[in-house]
């Protein structure tokens, strides 16, 4: 049942609102002045707050300001019998959801409350989604190897320096790139990812730089590329070691001049993008083979961060297991399971060739197939890696 707080110094209005709203199946609390209302908000979370403007002591505007200071997310609907346009505008400017004049129009009040409820629901859902997203991209571990990576990422994040992240498949290179973006001054801008290995060489240039209508057979309309989409933010070039040499040349020019041209076009487009790249290949060997441009490597590798394999940080397995159990059980809506000490010991004996990606899959398998506690015997039975 949704909870509503009514703050009004007139007893008759408080009681009338309580009767009406309880009839509409809302749970209602009453406060006779602003001070009492603020105290109640500290101890109870309300879906909506209805607040009178003219009250002895703290008036409604002051209550609204203090609610903002306390970072209360509940929508606030201001009520006044002395309403004018200036008062309404001031209320909205200070963060009120809406302003209603006395005598109250019952239909308008109920519609306003329903709309405010929708907003409150969206705010809560957004919070939950943000928590899920932040958990999904969190770097888990306190081993010296992973602490070094986190420290380096946090140190370079506030700058605009280009970063090249190296490491085997599944080690979490994307998480490092996202951490750099989230800790940077570009955090409010887009984070655009391009998997260079997944895009055919003949399409990579169009993907990165966009194309003009008619520039090739299937180009039926103009399209912005990833560089333009990432303007003001971060472009993450994953598996850049698999990029074609012709695309490498264009990327080099874009990094040198902060200017791109769409495929089939001659217009120069300025872009403001921070590039973070990642690869699982040995770039020095690729340069020797003539498959990667040395000048591009030097442009990308202002900062080098190497992400260790899971086998190099086995002491992080207890934390990783707890984290993935929490995340996966939450995704499946299952009661959380525990991981026995002997299960951790068995997990630490495995050769994790697929790194964190393989480890997560194994934990998911164990959650699905095991009882309330995952045991060492379960790990031996269900966690066999590829031979």
């Amino acid at each position: 049942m949704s909870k509503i707080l009514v703050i009004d110094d007139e007893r008759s209005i408080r009681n009338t609102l309580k009767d009406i709203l309880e009839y509409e199946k809302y749970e209602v609390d009453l406060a006779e002045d602003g001070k009492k209302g603020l105290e109640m908000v500290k101890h109870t979370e309300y879906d909506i707050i209805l607040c009178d403007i003219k009250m002895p002591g703290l008036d409604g505007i002051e209550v609204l300001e203090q609610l903002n200071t306390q970072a209360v997310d509940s929508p606030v609907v201001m009520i006044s019998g002395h309403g004018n346009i200036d008062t309404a505008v001031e209320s909205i400017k200070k963060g009120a959801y809406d302003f209603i004049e006395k005598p109250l129009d019952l239909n308008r009040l109920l519609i306003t409350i329903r709309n405010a409820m929708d907003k409150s629901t969206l705010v809560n859902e957004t919070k939950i989604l943000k928590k899920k997203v932040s958990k999904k991209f969190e770097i888990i571990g306190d081993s010296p190897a992973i602490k070094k990576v986190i420290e380096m990422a946090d140190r370079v994040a506030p700058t605009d320096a280009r970063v090249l992240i190296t490491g085997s498949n599944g080690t979490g290179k994307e998480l490092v790139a996202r951490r750099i973006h989230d800790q940077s001054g570009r955090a409010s801008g887009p984070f655009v990812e391009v998997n260079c290995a997944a895009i055919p060489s003949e399409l990579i240039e169009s993907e990165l730089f966009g194309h003009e209508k008619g520039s090739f057979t299937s180009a039926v309309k103009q399209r912005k590329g990833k560089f333009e989409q990432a303007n003001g933010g971060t472009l993450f070039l994953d598996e850049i070691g698999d990029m074609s040499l012709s695309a490498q040349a264009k990327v080099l020019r874009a990094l040198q001049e902060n200017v791109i041209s769409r495929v089939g076009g001659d217009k120069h487009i300025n872009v403001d993008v921070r590039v973070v790249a990642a690869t699982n290949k040995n770039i020095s060997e690729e340069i020797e083979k003539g498959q990667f441009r040395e000048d591009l490597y030097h442009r990308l590798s202002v900062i080098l961060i190497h992400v260790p394999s899971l086998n190099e940080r086995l002491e992080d397995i207890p934390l990783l297991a707890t984290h993935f159990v929490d995340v996966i059980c939450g995704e499946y809506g299952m009661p959380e399971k525990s991981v026995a000490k002997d299960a951790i010991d068995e997990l630490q004996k495995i050769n994790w060739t697929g790194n964190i990606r393989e480890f997560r899959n194994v934990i998911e398998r164990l959650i699905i197939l095991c009882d309330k506690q995952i045991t060492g015997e379960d790990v031996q039975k269900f966690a066999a890696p590829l031979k």
Side-chain angles (χ1 to χ4, degrees):
M1 187 180 290
S2 301
K3 297 192 74 168
I4 298 176
L5 174 63
V6 177
I7 307 173
D8 199 304
D9 61 319
E10 294 184 52
R11 179 182 293 175
S12 60
I13 290 181
R14 290 199 306 272
N15 292 337
T16 300
L17 284 172
K18 182 178 176 69
D19 291 341
I20 292 168
L21 296 174
E22 285 184 343
Y23 180 79
E24 295 289 330
K25 308 303 182 187
Y26 295 114
E27 187 178 337
V28 183
D29 286 345
L30 303 177
E32 64 273 13
D33 56 43
K35 186 177 179 182
K36 176 76 181 297
L38 289 170
E39 193 63 32
M40 293 173 74
V41 169
K42 287 180 183 177
H43 300 99
T44 307
E45 192 170 327
Y46 293 99
D47 295 288
I48 295 177
I49 299 170
L50 303 179
C51 184
D52 189 19
I53 289 183
K54 296 294 182 181
M55 295 185 292
L58 287 175
D59 66 23
I61 298 296
E62 291 171 315
V63 171
L64 183 60
E65 288 173 343
Q66 292 203 32
L67 289 172
N68 290 336
T69 303
Q70 294 173 21
V72 175
D73 290 326
S74 308
V76 181
V77 177
M78 307 302 292
I79 300 170
S80 178
H82 311 276
N84 56 51
I85 291 176
D86 290 340
T87 310
V89 169
E90 185 181 4
S91 300
I92 301 300
K93 277 185 176 178
K94 292 185 181 292
Y97 176 77
D98 205 348
F99 177 93
I100 300 178
E101 288 183 86
K102 296 177 183 175
L104 298 174
D105 180 313
L106 180 57
N107 287 329
R108 188 188 167 192
L109 175 67
L110 293 176
I111 289 169
T112 300
I113 288 174
R114 287 191 194 104
N115 291 340
M117 280 295 177
D118 289 342
K119 181 194 174 185
S120 183
T121 301
L122 286 171
V123 168
N124 289 331
E125 287 177 352
T126 302
K127 280 183 179 178
I128 293 167
L129 287 171
K130 281 183 176 178
K131 282 182 182 177
K132 284 184 178 178
V133 169
S134 64
K135 269 195 172 184
K136 182 179 178 182
F137 297 116
E138 189 178 357
I139 300 175
I140 304 298
D142 58 8
S143 63
I146 204 64
K147 278 184 174 177
K148 183 178 178 182
V149 170
I150 293 170
E151 181 184 349
M152 181 75 82
D154 289 350
R155 182 172 293 185
V156 70
T159 72
D160 259 351
R162 298 186 194 104
V163 183
L164 179 61
I165 306 167
T166 60
S168 304
N169 283 332
T171 51
K173 299 186 290 294
E174 182 192 350
L175 301 190
V176 178
R178 284 186 178 273
R179 186 180 184 95
I180 290 169
H181 173 74
D182 291 341
Q183 304 284 337
S184 75
R186 296 174 176 267
S188 59
F191 178 89
V192 177
E193 179 181 358
V194 182
N195 187 334
C196 301
I199 303 168
S201 57
E202 61 271 16
L203 296 178
I204 187 72
E205 291 182 37
S206 171
E207 188 72 18
L208 290 174
F209 307 110
H211 59 250
E212 298 292 348
K213 181 179 178 180
S215 55
F216 50 87
T217 305
S218 58
V220 294
K221 63 179 180 179
Q222 185 191 76
R223 182 178 179 277
K224 288 185 177 181
K226 299 299 185 184
F227 267 89
E228 284 183 83
Q229 292 173 31
N231 197 46
T234 303
L235 178 64
F236 176 46
L237 299 176
D238 197 11
E239 304 303 351
I240 195 167
D242 293 282
M243 183 181 287
S244 67
L245 287 169
S246 61
Q248 288 178 36
K250 284 200 169 186
V251 169
L252 178 64
R253 177 173 176 265
L255 297 181
Q256 287 172 333
E257 303 174 13
N258 294 320
V259 169
I260 64 163
S261 296
R262 298 192 190 112
V263 175
D266 53 11
K267 179 184 175 184
H268 289 176
I269 302 166
N270 294 318
V271 288
D272 172 25
V273 172
R274 180 187 194 169
V275 172
V276 176
T279 183
N280 64 347
K281 292 190 173 182
N282 185 320
I283 294 295
S284 297
E285 291 180 1
E286 296 299 306
I287 291 171
E288 287 180 12
K289 293 176 188 174
Q291 293 177 356
F292 199 86
R293 295 180 63 115
E294 186 173 4
D295 48 2
L296 177 58
Y297 168 74
H298 292 306
R299 284 282 176 183
L300 292 170
S301 61
V302 176
I303 302 292
L304 284 167
I305 299 178
H306 178 72
V307 184
S309 68
L310 183 54
N311 291 331
E312 295 175 281
R313 45 183 286 229
L314 291 174
E315 61 265 51
D316 286 332
I317 280 182
L319 280 175
L320 287 164
T322 302
H323 171 74
F324 285 129
V325 166
D326 177 44
V327 170
I328 294 165
C329 286
E331 288 175 355
Y332 285 144
M334 298 168 61
E336 194 165 314
K337 299 189 177 185
S338 60
V339 184
K341 173 67 170 63
D342 64 334
I344 295 295
D345 294 339
E346 290 298 326
L347 287 167
Q348 289 177 322
K349 293 176 186 176
I350 295 174
N351 178 27
W352 297 103
T353 55
N355 293 292
I356 308 297
R357 189 177 295 131
E358 180 189 7
F359 183 81
R360 189 196 191 282
N361 290 343
V362 167
I363 294 296
E364 185 170 1
R365 187 186 312 152
L366 291 167
I367 288 170
I368 293 168
L369 299 176
C370 299
D371 293 326
K372 291 182 180 179
Q373 185 177 60
I374 298 168
T375 66
E377 186 180 343
D378 292 327
V379 175
Q380 291 176 354
K381 187 176 180 182
F382 299 120
L386 290 171
K387 301 295 185 183

